[in-house]
Amino acid sequence: MSTTALGRAAASGKLTAVVLFLPPALLLFTLFVILPVGEAAWYSGFNWNGFGRPTNWIGFTNYEYVFEARAFGLALRNNFLIIVISLGIQLPLALTLAILLAEKFRGAVALRMLFFLPYVLAEVATGLIFSFVYDGDYGLLAGVWRFFGAEPPHLLASTQTSMLAILIVVVWKYFGFHMMLFIAALQGQDQHLVEAARIDGASRWQVLRHITIPLLYPTIRLSVFFAVVGSLQLFDLVMPLTRGGPADSSQTMVSFLYSHGVTRMRIGYGSAIGVILFVICVTFAVTYKRWFMRDD
């Protein structure tokens, strides 16, 4: 920073704020982000089981093993599928419900809370609940199938349907969170614009298309960011439902890291997966922030 810039910053009080608040934040970021990621990157270069000091340096071999693994390809595909479903079904559903429930009518608050309740549940508890629901012998779904005289499916035990079962739970659990974001944004909009448009003869659809939705763009961009990052990190729902199976058909990158790295005591291999996941998340976050959230 030049002397002139320093002088202007000091004059405006910004330099004092930077000196006071930046070092603690930088220290915490270094301790809890930079150092763990650096340590994982270091361990990823070893063939190490987690006991003793890592000594068997193998360079980038763990990364080669990861990219050659069929299960990692399935995990990448599943994460991409979760992102597509989140953006294509979950967010439009949340936006539609938010527009309907942002209106003031009897029961609106109760319906908001009802739709938001799944998000309050812990992921592990949700997974356990749906493991009983999907149970092909004694579950709720099996009861419905038998009521219609059909043979109940075992959704979680089939490589064809296990991921579908997880996607249904993902949509059910998280759409309420995005709905509340949209409702908060809708309630913060300037209603004078809507009233002026209606006085000028705009229909409800025209108001929605040309005023309400454009004003929601910052919230939609934020919601997309949360949906993508959350999809990349999905783990807690997968473990109680399928543990990534059967035959790795429902693995996500994090569950793949846990089942193929941590539980098999392949710490170097698991660290390589963690580094790859970190690079994907950071690349997405930086790119998305620069391209889509520059002015937010």
Side-chain angles (χ1 to χ4, degrees), residues 28 33 79 92 102 105 132 147 174 181 201 269 288 295:
L28 290 174
V33 178
N79 275 114
F105 61 89
F132 292 120
F147 178 79
Y174 296 111
L181 284 181
Y269 186 78
Y288 190 81
D295 301 324

Side-chain angles (χ1 to χ4, degrees), residues 224-265:
V224 168
F225 180 80
F226 284 149
V228 174
V229 172
S231 299
L232 289 172
Q233 297 174 345
L234 189 67
F235 172 72
D236 297 350
L237 274 178
V238 176
M239 297 311 290
L241 281 168
T242 63
R243 294 182 178 273
D248 293 318
S249 61
S250 60
Q251 292 280 15
T252 62
M253 280 191 283
V254 184
S255 69
F256 175 72
L257 185 159
Y258 179 76
S259 58
H260 288 255
V262 177
T263 61
R264 300 183 186 186
M265 303 303 292

Side-chain angles (χ1 to χ4, degrees), residues 157-184:
S158 168
T159 56
Q160 304 297 320
T161 56
S162 59
M163 199 59 214
L164 172 65
I166 291 175
L167 289 172
I168 292 171
V169 181
V170 168
V171 172
W172 178 82
K173 178 162 177 57
Y174 296 111
F175 84 92
F177 168 73
H178 299 285
M179 182 196 73
M180 294 302 280
L181 284 181
F182 293 139
I183 288 176

Side-chain angles (χ1 to χ4, degrees), residues 62-131:
N62 278 324
Y63 293 92
E64 294 176 11
Y65 290 155
V66 170
F67 287 114
E68 289 172 356
R70 172 183 168 274
F72 183 70
L74 290 173
L76 271 178
R77 183 205 66 179
N78 290 336
N79 275 114
F80 179 73
L81 193 59
I82 295 166
I83 291 172
V84 170
I85 295 300
S86 296
L87 300 185
I89 296 178
Q90 188 171 242
L91 294 195
L93 175 64
L95 181 59
T96 304
L97 287 173
I99 291 171
L100 293 175
L101 297 179
E103 303 286 339
K104 292 181 180 178
F105 61 89
R106 185 185 295 274
V109 174
L111 287 173
R112 291 177 200 168
M113 293 308 300
L114 180 67
F115 291 136
F116 185 67
L117 272 179
Y119 181 72
V120 178
L121 277 175
E123 275 78 1
V124 173
T126 304
L128 288 173
I129 290 170
F130 272 87
S131 68

Side-chain angles (χ1 to χ4, degrees), residues 195-237:
E195 292 172 6
R198 287 182 174 167
I199 290 173
D200 289 340
S203 65
R204 186 179 178 85
W205 167 249
Q206 288 172 324
V207 170
L208 184 67
R209 181 182 175 189
H210 297 291
I211 296 177
T212 306
I213 298 295
L215 289 176
L216 276 177
Y217 281 162
T219 307
I220 292 173
R221 288 193 287 269
L222 181 66
S223 201
V224 168
F225 180 80
F226 284 149
V228 174
V229 172
S231 299
L232 289 172
Q233 297 174 345
L234 189 67
F235 172 72
D236 297 350
L237 274 178

